[in-house]
């Protein structure tokens, strides 16, 4: 089934491969445009399965944080994205573990994890990891602040977490799934089953759990059009 799905994907991707307008920094392939994904155009790399958030996270990890270089670091990656996992596996400076609470996986973009666990109940001792990666994870958790506290707990002093979730920067405060009607959810979530609709208080919510959060303007300093990334994209680097 997966082989047939991948064959169909490669056939559909042929028109997108006829050009050099955009480039995936992860797999280094060039395209006329990235393929659509759900309701978004120019989003999906058919070669490494990256989306906009993955390409931006990769550039942030590689160029801002020196993630792939010495020293040795212990890393926990929630909802392991296929495209990012492949850049880590085999790296001599990264002791890598993956985790997810799902029993079925979106194999169009994610891998089966090493550990089945929820980010709001991490089964490791405190001060275990140098880096935690959680891209598109908090938005799915009923008690997201509990998850933030768990990430803070398992990070070593001086360690950092990488967070990325959909955020409406025109909205002052974050809303939970339980505070919305069915009609409001459909209007806000594009039919997706996320639990949170985040506003500009996202960083404040992380800081309230003890993190020091860096402001991110890196997307405006890179060739964001080339990489299919919005200039308003933000990665939240939260340090313990």
């Amino acid at each position: 089934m997966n082989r047939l799905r991948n064959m169909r994907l490669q056939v559909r991707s042929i028109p997108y491969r006829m050009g050099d307008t955009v480039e995936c920094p992860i797999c280094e392939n060039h395209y006329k445009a990235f393929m659509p994904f759900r309701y978004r155009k120019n989003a999906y790399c058919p070669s490494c399965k990256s989306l906009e958030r993955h390409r931006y996270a990769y550039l942030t990890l590689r160029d801002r944080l020196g993630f792939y270089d010495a020293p040795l670091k212990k890393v926990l990656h929630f909802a392991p994205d296929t495209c990012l996992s492949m850049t880590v596996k085999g790296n001599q400076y990264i002791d890598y573990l993956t985790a997810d609470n799902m029993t079925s996986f979106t194999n169009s973009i994610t891998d089966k994890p090493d550990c089945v666990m929820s980010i709001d109940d991490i089964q490791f001792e405190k001060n275990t990891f140098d880096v935690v990666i959680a891209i598109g994870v908090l938005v799915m958790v009923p008690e997201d602040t509990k998850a933030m506290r768990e990430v803070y707990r398992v990070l070593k002093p001086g360690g950092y977490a990488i967070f990325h979730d959909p955020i409406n920067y025109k909205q002052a405060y974050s809303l939970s799934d339980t505070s919305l009607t069915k009609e409001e959810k459909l209007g806000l979530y594009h039919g997706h089953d996320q639990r949170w609709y985040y506003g500009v208080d996202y960083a404040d919510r992380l800081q309230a759990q003890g993190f020091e959060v860096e402001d991110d303007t890196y997307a405006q300093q890179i060739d964001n059009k080339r990489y299919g990334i919005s200039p308003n994209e933000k990665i939240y680097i939260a340090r313990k």
Side-chain angles (χ1 to χ4, degrees):
M1 181 64 72
N2 286 340
R3 180 179 296 180
L4 180 59
R5 186 182 294 111
N6 285 330
M7 288 177 61
R8 289 172 176 170
L9 171 64
Q10 296 312 312
V11 171
R12 293 199 308 272
S13 73
I14 290 173
Y16 296 90
R17 295 179 184 273
M18 305 299 182
D20 187 35
T21 304
V22 300
E23 174 187 354
C24 177
I26 299 176
C27 64
E28 299 182 343
N29 282 291
H30 299 197
Y31 307 97
K32 178 180 179 180
F34 291 109
M35 295 181 70
F37 187 84
R38 292 178 177 161
Y39 56 88
R40 305 192 306 279
K41 297 180 180 179
N42 197 36
Y44 183 72
C45 173
S47 296
C48 72
K49 304 180 180 180
S50 71
L51 297 169
E52 309 96 321
R53 60 182 181 264
H54 304 128
R55 295 189 289 274
Y56 190 48
Y58 172 74
L59 290 170
T60 299
L61 288 165
R62 186 190 71 182
D63 299 338
R64 290 185 63 194
L65 295 169
F67 175 74
Y68 298 96
D69 305 323
L72 178 68
K73 53 193 72 69
K74 191 172 181 65
V75 176
L76 180 61
H77 185 180
F78 277 94
D81 315 281
T82 300
C83 56
L84 291 179
S85 291
M86 73 181 190
T87 71
V88 175
K89 293 175 180 177
N91 186 297
Q92 62 180 321
Y93 301 121
I94 300 174
D95 180 4
Y96 186 59
L97 277 173
T98 62
D100 201 337
N101 197 42
M102 296 177 69
T103 55
S104 61
F105 306 97
T106 310
N107 59 14
S108 59
I109 58 173
T110 59
D111 290 338
K112 187 175 181 179
D114 300 314
C115 309
V116 177
M117 69 176 69
S118 176
I119 194 173
D120 61 5
D121 186 21
I122 303 176
Q123 302 299 305
F124 289 100
E125 298 293 325
K126 65 180 181 179
N127 304 330
T128 298
F129 296 97
D130 299 287
V131 181
V132 175
I133 301 172
I135 298 173
V137 177
L138 292 182
V139 74
M140 303 297 293
V141 180
E143 296 184 61
D144 66 338
T145 54
K146 182 181 178 183
M148 295 172 194
R149 289 194 297 272
E150 276 290 274
V151 172
Y152 187 88
R153 180 183 65 81
V154 299
L155 277 174
K156 296 177 183 177
Y160 63 85
I162 295 292
F163 292 108
H164 180 286
D165 288 287
I167 296 175
N168 180 356
Y169 291 102
K170 296 180 180 180
Q171 179 176 300
Y173 299 104
S174 299
L175 302 173
S176 70
D177 184 72
T178 56
S179 67
L180 299 169
T181 66
K182 181 179 179 180
E183 291 73 22
E184 287 173 329
K185 291 177 191 178
L186 291 173
L188 293 173
Y189 294 161
H190 305 281
H192 195 51
D193 58 348
Q194 65 196 61
R195 299 293 187 92
W196 286 91
Y197 187 64
Y198 286 117
V200 295
D201 63 340
Y202 186 88
D204 295 335
R205 295 171 67 82
L206 289 168
Q207 289 170 342
Q209 309 312 316
F211 288 107
E212 295 182 3
V213 183
E214 297 182 14
D215 186 36
D216 181 19
T217 59
Y218 188 57
Q220 298 167 26
Q221 302 169 36
I222 62 175
D223 191 349
N224 49 71
K225 289 184 179 180
R226 179 71 174 169
Y227 298 131
I229 297 167
S230 167
N232 299 318
E233 198 76 42
K234 286 184 181 291
I235 288 285
Y236 289 85
I237 303 170
R239 298 186 183 274
K240 182 173 179 179

